Amino acid sequence: MQKKVLLNANQIDIIINRLVCQLIENHHDFSNTVLIGLQPRGIYLLQKLLNVFSKNHPDKKITSGNLDYSFFRDDFRRNEKLININPSKIEISIESKKVVLIDDVLFTGRSIRAAMSSIDSYGRPESIELMVLIDRRFKRELPIEANYFGAKIDTIDDDKVNVVWGNNKANNVVYIEK
Amino acid sequence: MGQLSVNNLLGIKYIKKQDIDLIFDTADHFKEVLNRPIKKVPSLRDITIANLFFENSTRTKLSFELAEKRLSADVINFSSSSSSIKKGETLIDTVNNILAMKVDMIVIRHPNPGAALLLSKNVDSCIVNAGDGTNEHPTQALLDVYSLKERLGDLDGRKILIVGDILHSRVALSNIYALKLLNAKIKICSPLSLIPREIESLGLSVETNLDKALSWCDAVNVLRVQHERMEKSYFPNDREYSLLYGLDKKRINKLKKDILILHPGPINRGVEIKSDIVESNNSIILDQVENGVAVRMAIIYLLASKMNISKSHETV
């Protein structure tokens, strides 16, 4: 299996800073915004964003949470293996909030559909946006697109995109396995 | 993630510790779901469940029905008083007729021990035992142990006392099996007339003095005297039973430590437990009821996850 680096640590760092700036551009003081990391992998990108906010923009008071959408997936009972469930932690009402869902990779769009259904359990948001680090084009199965993305890549079905978060940011890397 | 080792929940006797761990982990997630403004998930929207109650029930029936509805299953309810059982139909015929209406899962409560097992061997469906005579009540035991674990943490080595009518109690037997799987120490306390023979072979100890037993335990599960299952008298009267085996504030205050108090319900206030105890801080009786829905959601969800949809499509 061939492994090719798509984004190195430096590129990821630049992208995360850019994503933070784009969020500030659209959400200003974040008073009515909630950032939601999607389990299991989106929570790491959320954490990196929060680190940048607290370091570079301490005046922004960010509300965030983690969402597991397993019970809303459309492939329940379609696999031999049980769907892995992770904890959700959303301690505020989502009613009339601007929600930004955060995940590492956008692929078929089915996870995002499940997440959008799931977030409704916490209230009716004013709007939902999507942020991803990697947008895998040409494999969408639903009409879902990201509002904010780190990089768009072209892949074929069998390719595997891995986002690896290291112990420190120098070890962060995104690679593709063919 | 591993699946349950069983396709039906017939009793705790048939499951493993890993199954209990998986059920409890899943129940934790459902407990969070039950605290959301909208307490419903769509996982079982293509599943139909029949609740067959051949014996009276309030909280178990409601708890199962709520758990099923919160999972978005279609639910049909059936009670023996309004059914063709009265006309002489056998249990297996009744259930096969219900299954012919494309029902996927059966929850059954029946006065005869082994009814759920009998069904599992004779009908093609997933069976959940909601209590079979004096045999087992696995979902009650799981929610009891889940509630204990929530308060006490790991139950390994914890001392759990079961007080009351052990002889006629399906809750006692299922609790004993579940607590043993989690390595808890178990003691039972009851008049000798209400203790089954050979009970010590299950690896527990027996104490007939309630005060001694209470000073030993970390938690006590108080069981009701099941007059409806008694064909003869096992003790002189309720007053004497209450004096010797009833829990009241005076008894609890004498203890040198705080203990948890459980009761599976329905409660006979003033017989096995006094009102001052039911409403005390030691009581986790309402936690049990709340946890019952989450635990039953977990059990139904995990059993349904083994009913692979691609297999059912093959038969179409």
Side-chain angles (χ1 to χ4, degrees), chain A residues 71-72 76-88 120-122, chain B residues 1-3 29-30 32 36-38 42-43 46 302 304-305 307-309:
Chain A
F71 297 133
F72 290 77
F76 180 62
R77 297 172 60 221
R78 283 167 172 81
N79 291 311
E80 290 299 325
K81 280 177 77 178
L82 190 63
I83 293 170
N84 204 10
I85 309 163
N86 292 286
S88 289
D120 272 353
S121 307
Y122 298 89
Chain B
M1 203 169 174
Q3 292 267 21
H29 298 300
F30 281 120
E32 187 273 326
R36 295 177 188 177
I38 296 176
S43 305
D46 51 356
L302 291 167
S305 76
M307 296 154 58
N308 201 307
I309 205 162

PDB file of all heavy atoms in Angstrom, chain A residues 71-72 76-88 120-122, chain B residues 1-3 29-30 32 36-38 42-43 46 302 304-305 307-309:
ATOM      1  N   PHE A  71     -26.625   7.141  16.757  1.00  0.00           N
ATOM      2  CA  PHE A  71     -28.018   6.677  16.775  1.00  0.00           C
ATOM      3  C   PHE A  71     -28.823   7.229  15.599  1.00  0.00           C
ATOM      4  O   PHE A  71     -29.974   6.863  15.417  1.00  0.00           O
ATOM      5  CB  PHE A  71     -28.689   7.072  18.095  1.00  0.00           C
ATOM      6  CG  PHE A  71     -28.058   6.424  19.302  1.00  0.00           C
ATOM      7  CD1 PHE A  71     -27.743   7.172  20.422  1.00  0.00           C
ATOM      8  CD2 PHE A  71     -27.784   5.060  19.320  1.00  0.00           C
ATOM      9  CE1 PHE A  71     -27.158   6.580  21.543  1.00  0.00           C
ATOM     10  CE2 PHE A  71     -27.198   4.464  20.432  1.00  0.00           C
ATOM     11  CZ  PHE A  71     -26.886   5.221  21.539  1.00  0.00           C
ATOM     12  N   PHE A  72     -28.221   8.149  14.829  1.00  0.00           N
ATOM     13  CA  PHE A  72     -28.924   8.739  13.687  1.00  0.00           C
ATOM     14  C   PHE A  72     -28.332   8.265  12.361  1.00  0.00           C
ATOM     15  O   PHE A  72     -28.735   8.740  11.307  1.00  0.00           O
ATOM     16  CB  PHE A  72     -28.878  10.278  13.779  1.00  0.00           C
ATOM     17  CG  PHE A  72     -29.732  10.819  14.888  1.00  0.00           C
ATOM     18  CD1 PHE A  72     -29.309  10.749  16.207  1.00  0.00           C
ATOM     19  CD2 PHE A  72     -30.973  11.366  14.634  1.00  0.00           C
ATOM     20  CE1 PHE A  72     -30.093  11.230  17.246  1.00  0.00           C
ATOM     21  CE2 PHE A  72     -31.771  11.848  15.655  1.00  0.00           C
ATOM     22  CZ  PHE A  72     -31.330  11.778  16.963  1.00  0.00           C
ATOM     23  N   PHE A  76     -27.386   1.540  10.372  1.00  0.00           N
ATOM     24  CA  PHE A  76     -27.636   0.638  11.509  1.00  0.00           C
ATOM     25  C   PHE A  76     -28.247  -0.658  10.980  1.00  0.00           C
ATOM     26  O   PHE A  76     -29.139  -0.631  10.133  1.00  0.00           O
ATOM     27  CB  PHE A  76     -28.588   1.311  12.507  1.00  0.00           C
ATOM     28  CG  PHE A  76     -28.912   0.462  13.715  1.00  0.00           C
ATOM     29  CD1 PHE A  76     -27.924   0.059  14.593  1.00  0.00           C
ATOM     30  CD2 PHE A  76     -30.215   0.060  13.970  1.00  0.00           C
ATOM     31  CE1 PHE A  76     -28.220  -0.714  15.712  1.00  0.00           C
ATOM     32  CE2 PHE A  76     -30.526  -0.712  15.081  1.00  0.00           C
ATOM     33  CZ  PHE A  76     -29.522  -1.098  15.956  1.00  0.00           C
ATOM     34  N   ARG A  77     -27.793  -1.777  11.463  1.00  0.00           N
ATOM     35  CA  ARG A  77     -28.221  -3.123  11.053  1.00  0.00           C
ATOM     36  C   ARG A  77     -27.760  -3.481   9.649  1.00  0.00           C
ATOM     37  O   ARG A  77     -28.270  -4.409   9.040  1.00  0.00           O
ATOM     38  CB  ARG A  77     -29.738  -3.289  11.151  1.00  0.00           C
ATOM     39  CG  ARG A  77     -30.270  -3.155  12.590  1.00  0.00           C
ATOM     40  CD  ARG A  77     -31.772  -3.138  12.634  1.00  0.00           C
ATOM     41  NE  ARG A  77     -32.300  -4.372  12.087  1.00  0.00           N
ATOM     42  CZ  ARG A  77     -33.365  -4.424  11.280  1.00  0.00           C
ATOM     43  NH1 ARG A  77     -34.005  -3.341  10.967  1.00  0.00           N
ATOM     44  NH2 ARG A  77     -33.778  -5.573  10.824  1.00  0.00           N
ATOM     45  N   ARG A  78     -26.817  -2.732   9.100  1.00  0.00           N
ATOM     46  CA  ARG A  78     -26.321  -3.064   7.769  1.00  0.00           C
ATOM     47  C   ARG A  78     -24.878  -3.565   7.806  1.00  0.00           C
ATOM     48  O   ARG A  78     -24.287  -3.838   6.773  1.00  0.00           O
ATOM     49  CB  ARG A  78     -26.440  -1.854   6.843  1.00  0.00           C
ATOM     50  CG  ARG A  78     -27.873  -1.646   6.385  1.00  0.00           C
ATOM     51  CD  ARG A  78     -28.096  -0.303   5.737  1.00  0.00           C
ATOM     52  NE  ARG A  78     -29.427  -0.219   5.150  1.00  0.00           N
ATOM     53  CZ  ARG A  78     -30.539   0.056   5.837  1.00  0.00           C
ATOM     54  NH1 ARG A  78     -30.473   0.269   7.135  1.00  0.00           N
ATOM     55  NH2 ARG A  78     -31.709   0.108   5.227  1.00  0.00           N
ATOM     56  N   ASN A  79     -24.314  -3.637   9.007  1.00  0.00           N
ATOM     57  CA  ASN A  79     -22.956  -4.163   9.168  1.00  0.00           C
ATOM     58  C   ASN A  79     -22.969  -5.266  10.210  1.00  0.00           C
ATOM     59  O   ASN A  79     -23.799  -5.257  11.109  1.00  0.00           O
ATOM     60  CB  ASN A  79     -22.016  -3.059   9.667  1.00  0.00           C
ATOM     61  CG  ASN A  79     -21.778  -2.014   8.609  1.00  0.00           C
ATOM     62  OD1 ASN A  79     -21.470  -2.349   7.476  1.00  0.00           O
ATOM     63  ND2 ASN A  79     -21.935  -0.762   8.983  1.00  0.00           N
ATOM     64  N   GLU A  80     -22.034  -6.197  10.061  1.00  0.00           N
ATOM     65  CA  GLU A  80     -21.909  -7.253  11.076  1.00  0.00           C
ATOM     66  C   GLU A  80     -21.423  -6.653  12.394  1.00  0.00           C
ATOM     67  O   GLU A  80     -21.780  -7.096  13.466  1.00  0.00           O
ATOM     68  CB  GLU A  80     -20.932  -8.336  10.606  1.00  0.00           C
ATOM     69  CG  GLU A  80     -21.452  -9.198   9.447  1.00  0.00           C
ATOM     70  CD  GLU A  80     -22.717  -9.966   9.799  1.00  0.00           C
ATOM     71  OE1 GLU A  80     -22.860 -10.397  10.954  1.00  0.00           O
ATOM     72  OE2 GLU A  80     -23.585 -10.108   8.897  1.00  0.00           O
ATOM     73  N   LYS A  81     -20.560  -5.634  12.257  1.00  0.00           N
ATOM     74  CA  LYS A  81     -20.004  -5.017  13.472  1.00  0.00           C
ATOM     75  C   LYS A  81     -20.945  -3.970  14.041  1.00  0.00           C
ATOM     76  O   LYS A  81     -21.662  -3.296  13.293  1.00  0.00           O
ATOM     77  CB  LYS A  81     -18.650  -4.359  13.145  1.00  0.00           C
ATOM     78  CG  LYS A  81     -17.501  -5.363  13.096  1.00  0.00           C
ATOM     79  CD  LYS A  81     -16.209  -4.710  12.699  1.00  0.00           C
ATOM     80  CE  LYS A  81     -15.594  -3.927  13.840  1.00  0.00           C
ATOM     81  NZ  LYS A  81     -14.300  -3.321  13.438  1.00  0.00           N
ATOM     82  N   LEU A  82     -20.905  -3.845  15.354  1.00  0.00           N
ATOM     83  CA  LEU A  82     -21.731  -2.840  16.025  1.00  0.00           C
ATOM     84  C   LEU A  82     -21.129  -1.455  15.798  1.00  0.00           C
ATOM     85  O   LEU A  82     -19.908  -1.298  15.803  1.00  0.00           O
ATOM     86  CB  LEU A  82     -21.740  -3.167  17.522  1.00  0.00           C
ATOM     87  CG  LEU A  82     -22.722  -2.412  18.405  1.00  0.00           C
ATOM     88  CD1 LEU A  82     -24.153  -2.700  18.008  1.00  0.00           C
ATOM     89  CD2 LEU A  82     -22.517  -2.819  19.862  1.00  0.00           C
ATOM     90  N   ILE A  83     -21.987  -0.464  15.586  1.00  0.00           N
ATOM     91  CA  ILE A  83     -21.509   0.917  15.423  1.00  0.00           C
ATOM     92  C   ILE A  83     -20.880   1.372  16.746  1.00  0.00           C
ATOM     93  O   ILE A  83     -21.464   1.189  17.806  1.00  0.00           O
ATOM     94  CB  ILE A  83     -22.684   1.845  15.049  1.00  0.00           C
ATOM     95  CG1 ILE A  83     -23.210   1.493  13.655  1.00  0.00           C
ATOM     96  CG2 ILE A  83     -22.264   3.306  15.125  1.00  0.00           C
ATOM     97  CD1 ILE A  83     -24.512   2.197  13.288  1.00  0.00           C
ATOM     98  N   ASN A  84     -19.689   1.929  16.644  1.00  0.00           N
ATOM     99  CA  ASN A  84     -18.990   2.388  17.841  1.00  0.00           C
ATOM    100  C   ASN A  84     -19.602   3.711  18.325  1.00  0.00           C
ATOM    101  O   ASN A  84     -19.677   4.665  17.566  1.00  0.00           O
ATOM    102  CB  ASN A  84     -17.511   2.585  17.490  1.00  0.00           C
ATOM    103  CG  ASN A  84     -16.637   2.482  18.697  1.00  0.00           C
ATOM    104  OD1 ASN A  84     -17.094   2.075  19.768  1.00  0.00           O
ATOM    105  ND2 ASN A  84     -15.398   2.867  18.558  1.00  0.00           N
ATOM    106  N   ILE A  85     -20.046   3.752  19.574  1.00  0.00           N
ATOM    107  CA  ILE A  85     -20.704   4.954  20.094  1.00  0.00           C
ATOM    108  C   ILE A  85     -19.735   5.706  21.005  1.00  0.00           C
ATOM    109  O   ILE A  85     -19.049   5.093  21.816  1.00  0.00           O
ATOM    110  CB  ILE A  85     -21.974   4.580  20.890  1.00  0.00           C
ATOM    111  CG1 ILE A  85     -22.868   3.642  20.069  1.00  0.00           C
ATOM    112  CG2 ILE A  85     -22.755   5.833  21.276  1.00  0.00           C
ATOM    113  CD1 ILE A  85     -23.894   2.906  20.904  1.00  0.00           C
ATOM    114  N   ASN A  86     -19.691   7.010  20.845  1.00  0.00           N
ATOM    115  CA  ASN A  86     -18.844   7.853  21.698  1.00  0.00           C
ATOM    116  C   ASN A  86     -19.716   8.840  22.465  1.00  0.00           C
ATOM    117  O   ASN A  86     -20.853   9.094  22.077  1.00  0.00           O
ATOM    118  CB  ASN A  86     -17.840   8.620  20.822  1.00  0.00           C
ATOM    119  CG  ASN A  86     -16.833   7.687  20.189  1.00  0.00           C
ATOM    120  OD1 ASN A  86     -15.939   7.186  20.844  1.00  0.00           O
ATOM    121  ND2 ASN A  86     -17.008   7.405  18.900  1.00  0.00           N
ATOM    122  N   PRO A  87     -19.190   9.417  23.531  1.00  0.00           N
ATOM    123  CA  PRO A  87     -20.038  10.334  24.308  1.00  0.00           C
ATOM    124  C   PRO A  87     -20.325  11.656  23.587  1.00  0.00           C
ATOM    125  O   PRO A  87     -19.455  12.190  22.908  1.00  0.00           O
ATOM    126  CB  PRO A  87     -19.231  10.587  25.585  1.00  0.00           C
ATOM    127  CG  PRO A  87     -17.883  10.029  25.369  1.00  0.00           C
ATOM    128  CD  PRO A  87     -17.878   9.182  24.152  1.00  0.00           C
ATOM    129  N   SER A  88     -21.546  12.130  23.754  1.00  0.00           N
ATOM    130  CA  SER A  88     -21.898  13.490  23.321  1.00  0.00           C
ATOM    131  C   SER A  88     -21.806  14.391  24.534  1.00  0.00           C
ATOM    132  O   SER A  88     -22.153  13.983  25.642  1.00  0.00           O
ATOM    133  CB  SER A  88     -23.338  13.541  22.802  1.00  0.00           C
ATOM    134  OG  SER A  88     -23.443  12.881  21.581  1.00  0.00           O
ATOM    135  N   ASP A 120     -30.565  18.431  16.078  1.00  0.00           N
ATOM    136  CA  ASP A 120     -31.935  18.902  16.337  1.00  0.00           C
ATOM    137  C   ASP A 120     -32.468  18.443  17.690  1.00  0.00           C
ATOM    138  O   ASP A 120     -33.382  19.064  18.241  1.00  0.00           O
ATOM    139  CB  ASP A 120     -32.886  18.408  15.240  1.00  0.00           C
ATOM    140  CG  ASP A 120     -32.929  19.368  14.067  1.00  0.00           C
ATOM    141  OD1 ASP A 120     -32.331  20.449  14.177  1.00  0.00           O
ATOM    142  OD2 ASP A 120     -33.560  19.025  13.052  1.00  0.00           O
ATOM    143  N   SER A 121     -31.904  17.335  18.224  1.00  0.00           N
ATOM    144  CA  SER A 121     -32.350  16.843  19.540  1.00  0.00           C
ATOM    145  C   SER A 121     -32.085  17.857  20.639  1.00  0.00           C
ATOM    146  O   SER A 121     -32.666  17.787  21.712  1.00  0.00           O
ATOM    147  CB  SER A 121     -31.600  15.564  19.930  1.00  0.00           C
ATOM    148  OG  SER A 121     -31.683  14.613  18.941  1.00  0.00           O
ATOM    149  N   TYR A 122     -31.161  18.777  20.371  1.00  0.00           N
ATOM    150  CA  TYR A 122     -30.779  19.758  21.397  1.00  0.00           C
ATOM    151  C   TYR A 122     -31.454  21.105  21.176  1.00  0.00           C
ATOM    152  O   TYR A 122     -31.125  22.078  21.845  1.00  0.00           O
ATOM    153  CB  TYR A 122     -29.255  19.940  21.395  1.00  0.00           C
ATOM    154  CG  TYR A 122     -28.491  18.685  21.720  1.00  0.00           C
ATOM    155  CD1 TYR A 122     -28.117  17.797  20.724  1.00  0.00           C
ATOM    156  CD2 TYR A 122     -28.164  18.370  23.040  1.00  0.00           C
ATOM    157  CE1 TYR A 122     -27.422  16.631  21.024  1.00  0.00           C
ATOM    158  CE2 TYR A 122     -27.471  17.218  23.343  1.00  0.00           C
ATOM    159  CZ  TYR A 122     -27.106  16.352  22.328  1.00  0.00           C
ATOM    160  OH  TYR A 122     -26.418  15.210  22.622  1.00  0.00           O
TER     161      TYR A 122
ATOM    162  N   MET B   1     -16.288  -2.726  17.532  1.00  0.00           N
ATOM    163  CA  MET B   1     -17.002  -2.906  18.800  1.00  0.00           C
ATOM    164  C   MET B   1     -17.707  -4.257  18.781  1.00  0.00           C
ATOM    165  O   MET B   1     -18.369  -4.611  17.809  1.00  0.00           O
ATOM    166  CB  MET B   1     -18.013  -1.775  18.973  1.00  0.00           C
ATOM    167  CG  MET B   1     -18.397  -1.511  20.406  1.00  0.00           C
ATOM    168  SD  MET B   1     -19.322   0.040  20.490  1.00  0.00           S
ATOM    169  CE  MET B   1     -19.778   0.014  22.200  1.00  0.00           C
ATOM    170  N   GLY B   2     -17.549  -5.021  19.865  1.00  0.00           N
ATOM    171  CA  GLY B   2     -18.136  -6.356  19.918  1.00  0.00           C
ATOM    172  C   GLY B   2     -19.642  -6.311  20.044  1.00  0.00           C
ATOM    173  O   GLY B   2     -20.214  -5.338  20.503  1.00  0.00           O
ATOM    174  N   GLN B   3     -20.260  -7.385  19.603  1.00  0.00           N
ATOM    175  CA  GLN B   3     -21.718  -7.505  19.726  1.00  0.00           C
ATOM    176  C   GLN B   3     -22.050  -8.279  20.998  1.00  0.00           C
ATOM    177  O   GLN B   3     -21.167  -8.857  21.635  1.00  0.00           O
ATOM    178  CB  GLN B   3     -22.259  -8.295  18.532  1.00  0.00           C
ATOM    179  CG  GLN B   3     -22.151  -7.575  17.204  1.00  0.00           C
ATOM    180  CD  GLN B   3     -23.432  -6.805  16.886  1.00  0.00           C
ATOM    181  OE1 GLN B   3     -24.207  -6.490  17.775  1.00  0.00           O
ATOM    182  NE2 GLN B   3     -23.637  -6.484  15.629  1.00  0.00           N
ATOM    183  N   HIS B  29     -24.909   6.063  27.093  1.00  0.00           N
ATOM    184  CA  HIS B  29     -25.192   6.957  25.958  1.00  0.00           C
ATOM    185  C   HIS B  29     -26.691   7.255  25.867  1.00  0.00           C
ATOM    186  O   HIS B  29     -27.084   8.381  25.578  1.00  0.00           O
ATOM    187  CB  HIS B  29     -24.696   6.336  24.653  1.00  0.00           C
ATOM    188  CG  HIS B  29     -23.211   6.120  24.632  1.00  0.00           C
ATOM    189  ND1 HIS B  29     -22.316   7.152  24.768  1.00  0.00           N
ATOM    190  CD2 HIS B  29     -22.462   4.998  24.525  1.00  0.00           C
ATOM    191  CE1 HIS B  29     -21.075   6.675  24.738  1.00  0.00           C
ATOM    192  NE2 HIS B  29     -21.143   5.369  24.584  1.00  0.00           N
ATOM    193  N   PHE B  30     -27.512   6.239  26.137  1.00  0.00           N
ATOM    194  CA  PHE B  30     -28.952   6.485  26.079  1.00  0.00           C
ATOM    195  C   PHE B  30     -29.413   7.386  27.228  1.00  0.00           C
ATOM    196  O   PHE B  30     -30.384   8.126  27.091  1.00  0.00           O
ATOM    197  CB  PHE B  30     -29.741   5.170  26.053  1.00  0.00           C
ATOM    198  CG  PHE B  30     -29.749   4.532  24.687  1.00  0.00           C
ATOM    199  CD1 PHE B  30     -29.221   3.273  24.477  1.00  0.00           C
ATOM    200  CD2 PHE B  30     -30.265   5.219  23.597  1.00  0.00           C
ATOM    201  CE1 PHE B  30     -29.209   2.703  23.213  1.00  0.00           C
ATOM    202  CE2 PHE B  30     -30.257   4.668  22.325  1.00  0.00           C
ATOM    203  CZ  PHE B  30     -29.733   3.395  22.131  1.00  0.00           C
ATOM    204  N   GLU B  32     -27.789   9.885  28.285  1.00  0.00           N
ATOM    205  CA  GLU B  32     -27.544  11.248  27.786  1.00  0.00           C
ATOM    206  C   GLU B  32     -28.654  11.648  26.816  1.00  0.00           C
ATOM    207  O   GLU B  32     -29.174  12.768  26.869  1.00  0.00           O
ATOM    208  CB  GLU B  32     -26.152  11.301  27.121  1.00  0.00           C
ATOM    209  CG  GLU B  32     -25.690  12.699  26.712  1.00  0.00           C
ATOM    210  CD  GLU B  32     -26.144  13.118  25.327  1.00  0.00           C
ATOM    211  OE1 GLU B  32     -26.238  12.250  24.426  1.00  0.00           O
ATOM    212  OE2 GLU B  32     -26.424  14.305  25.137  1.00  0.00           O
ATOM    213  N   ARG B  36     -31.824  14.984  26.670  1.00  0.00           N
ATOM    214  CA  ARG B  36     -31.900  16.020  25.631  1.00  0.00           C
ATOM    215  C   ARG B  36     -33.327  16.571  25.580  1.00  0.00           C
ATOM    216  O   ARG B  36     -34.270  15.878  25.990  1.00  0.00           O
ATOM    217  CB  ARG B  36     -31.572  15.408  24.259  1.00  0.00           C
ATOM    218  CG  ARG B  36     -30.156  14.908  24.135  1.00  0.00           C
ATOM    219  CD  ARG B  36     -29.943  14.265  22.773  1.00  0.00           C
ATOM    220  NE  ARG B  36     -28.642  13.608  22.712  1.00  0.00           N
ATOM    221  CZ  ARG B  36     -28.197  12.902  21.671  1.00  0.00           C
ATOM    222  NH1 ARG B  36     -28.959  12.748  20.601  1.00  0.00           N
ATOM    223  NH2 ARG B  36     -27.007  12.355  21.690  1.00  0.00           N
ATOM    224  N   PRO B  37     -33.490  17.782  25.032  1.00  0.00           N
ATOM    225  CA  PRO B  37     -34.862  18.292  24.865  1.00  0.00           C
ATOM    226  C   PRO B  37     -35.733  17.334  24.037  1.00  0.00           C
ATOM    227  O   PRO B  37     -36.893  17.121  24.346  1.00  0.00           O
ATOM    228  CB  PRO B  37     -34.649  19.620  24.137  1.00  0.00           C
ATOM    229  CG  PRO B  37     -33.266  20.040  24.507  1.00  0.00           C
ATOM    230  CD  PRO B  37     -32.467  18.767  24.649  1.00  0.00           C
ATOM    231  N   ILE B  38     -35.164  16.758  22.974  1.00  0.00           N
ATOM    232  CA  ILE B  38     -35.910  15.743  22.201  1.00  0.00           C
ATOM    233  C   ILE B  38     -35.264  14.392  22.493  1.00  0.00           C
ATOM    234  O   ILE B  38     -34.105  14.153  22.138  1.00  0.00           O
ATOM    235  CB  ILE B  38     -35.891  16.055  20.693  1.00  0.00           C
ATOM    236  CG1 ILE B  38     -36.618  17.372  20.451  1.00  0.00           C
ATOM    237  CG2 ILE B  38     -36.542  14.930  19.890  1.00  0.00           C
ATOM    238  CD1 ILE B  38     -36.609  17.863  19.024  1.00  0.00           C
ATOM    239  N   PRO B  42     -33.764   7.686  15.877  1.00  0.00           N
ATOM    240  CA  PRO B  42     -34.491   6.932  14.849  1.00  0.00           C
ATOM    241  C   PRO B  42     -33.989   5.505  14.611  1.00  0.00           C
ATOM    242  O   PRO B  42     -34.434   4.844  13.676  1.00  0.00           O
ATOM    243  CB  PRO B  42     -34.255   7.785  13.601  1.00  0.00           C
ATOM    244  CG  PRO B  42     -32.927   8.413  13.824  1.00  0.00           C
ATOM    245  CD  PRO B  42     -32.753   8.574  15.300  1.00  0.00           C
ATOM    246  N   SER B  43     -33.074   5.007  15.448  1.00  0.00           N
ATOM    247  CA  SER B  43     -32.387   3.741  15.157  1.00  0.00           C
ATOM    248  C   SER B  43     -33.328   2.587  14.783  1.00  0.00           C
ATOM    249  O   SER B  43     -33.043   1.810  13.884  1.00  0.00           O
ATOM    250  CB  SER B  43     -31.555   3.302  16.366  1.00  0.00           C
ATOM    251  OG  SER B  43     -30.674   4.309  16.734  1.00  0.00           O
ATOM    252  N   ASP B  46     -37.431   0.891  11.650  1.00  0.00           N
ATOM    253  CA  ASP B  46     -37.937  -0.194  10.802  1.00  0.00           C
ATOM    254  C   ASP B  46     -38.178  -1.489  11.587  1.00  0.00           C
ATOM    255  O   ASP B  46     -38.200  -2.573  11.031  1.00  0.00           O
ATOM    256  CB  ASP B  46     -36.964  -0.451   9.640  1.00  0.00           C
ATOM    257  CG  ASP B  46     -35.533  -0.625  10.122  1.00  0.00           C
ATOM    258  OD1 ASP B  46     -35.299  -0.472  11.337  1.00  0.00           O
ATOM    259  OD2 ASP B  46     -34.641  -0.902   9.305  1.00  0.00           O
ATOM    260  N   LEU B 302     -29.148  -3.181  21.208  1.00  0.00           N
ATOM    261  CA  LEU B 302     -28.068  -4.141  20.960  1.00  0.00           C
ATOM    262  C   LEU B 302     -28.608  -5.435  20.342  1.00  0.00           C
ATOM    263  O   LEU B 302     -27.974  -6.019  19.466  1.00  0.00           O
ATOM    264  CB  LEU B 302     -27.316  -4.445  22.265  1.00  0.00           C
ATOM    265  CG  LEU B 302     -26.486  -3.269  22.802  1.00  0.00           C
ATOM    266  CD1 LEU B 302     -26.023  -3.530  24.233  1.00  0.00           C
ATOM    267  CD2 LEU B 302     -25.282  -3.004  21.896  1.00  0.00           C
ATOM    268  N   ALA B 304     -31.355  -5.615  18.505  1.00  0.00           N
ATOM    269  CA  ALA B 304     -31.782  -5.252  17.144  1.00  0.00           C
ATOM    270  C   ALA B 304     -30.581  -5.149  16.210  1.00  0.00           C
ATOM    271  O   ALA B 304     -30.674  -5.495  15.032  1.00  0.00           O
ATOM    272  CB  ALA B 304     -32.548  -3.931  17.171  1.00  0.00           C
ATOM    273  N   SER B 305     -29.445  -4.695  16.746  1.00  0.00           N
ATOM    274  CA  SER B 305     -28.264  -4.522  15.884  1.00  0.00           C
ATOM    275  C   SER B 305     -27.785  -5.866  15.334  1.00  0.00           C
ATOM    276  O   SER B 305     -27.087  -5.920  14.331  1.00  0.00           O
ATOM    277  CB  SER B 305     -27.135  -3.836  16.652  1.00  0.00           C
ATOM    278  OG  SER B 305     -26.527  -4.746  17.534  1.00  0.00           O
ATOM    279  N   MET B 307     -29.890  -8.106  14.248  1.00  0.00           N
ATOM    280  CA  MET B 307     -30.866  -8.525  13.237  1.00  0.00           C
ATOM    281  C   MET B 307     -30.511  -7.812  11.942  1.00  0.00           C
ATOM    282  O   MET B 307     -31.100  -6.797  11.592  1.00  0.00           O
ATOM    283  CB  MET B 307     -32.279  -8.158  13.700  1.00  0.00           C
ATOM    284  CG  MET B 307     -32.694  -8.899  14.952  1.00  0.00           C
ATOM    285  SD  MET B 307     -33.946  -8.059  15.942  1.00  0.00           S
ATOM    286  CE  MET B 307     -35.253  -7.877  14.786  1.00  0.00           C
ATOM    287  N   ASN B 308     -29.511  -8.350  11.236  1.00  0.00           N
ATOM    288  CA  ASN B 308     -28.963  -7.645  10.079  1.00  0.00           C
ATOM    289  C   ASN B 308     -30.010  -7.478   8.976  1.00  0.00           C
ATOM    290  O   ASN B 308     -30.632  -8.441   8.560  1.00  0.00           O
ATOM    291  CB  ASN B 308     -27.751  -8.417   9.555  1.00  0.00           C
ATOM    292  CG  ASN B 308     -26.857  -7.531   8.736  1.00  0.00           C
ATOM    293  OD1 ASN B 308     -27.320  -6.890   7.808  1.00  0.00           O
ATOM    294  ND2 ASN B 308     -25.584  -7.474   9.097  1.00  0.00           N
ATOM    295  N   ILE B 309     -30.151  -6.251   8.514  1.00  0.00           N
ATOM    296  CA  ILE B 309     -31.212  -5.938   7.550  1.00  0.00           C
ATOM    297  C   ILE B 309     -30.954  -6.609   6.198  1.00  0.00           C
ATOM    298  O   ILE B 309     -31.886  -6.983   5.501  1.00  0.00           O
ATOM    299  CB  ILE B 309     -31.358  -4.408   7.395  1.00  0.00           C
ATOM    300  CG1 ILE B 309     -32.759  -4.062   6.927  1.00  0.00           C
ATOM    301  CG2 ILE B 309     -30.313  -3.801   6.505  1.00  0.00           C
ATOM    302  CD1 ILE B 309     -33.134  -2.620   7.156  1.00  0.00           C
TER     303      ILE B 309
END
